[in-house]
Amino acid sequence: MGRALPTLLLILAGVLVGGTWSLYKQGAARGAVVITGLLAVLATAGGLLWLLPGES
């Protein structure tokens, strides 16, 4: 499962970015947009950091 988890995190990040944009365009509550955006940032960071070389 070496590369599967970061790939899934990056896919999740893409879905969350799309969800954030959709919420924003629909005029959803600011809190919902911010929370969804933060989750997208965390998923992206997690996926990218997981791919960095390091000690195994």
Side-chain angles (χ1 to χ4, degrees), residues 12-29:
L12 175 63
V15 170
L16 287 169
V17 167
T20 302
W21 183 251
S22 178
L23 286 170
Y24 173 75
K25 295 298 274 183
Q26 291 177 28

Side-chain angles (χ1 to χ4, degrees), residues 23-54:
L23 286 170
Y24 173 75
K25 295 298 274 183
Q26 291 177 28
R30 184 179 189 99
V33 175
V34 169
I35 289 171
T36 309
L38 288 174
L39 289 173
V41 169
L42 287 173
T44 303
L48 292 176
L49 288 174
W50 202 295
L51 290 173
L52 291 177

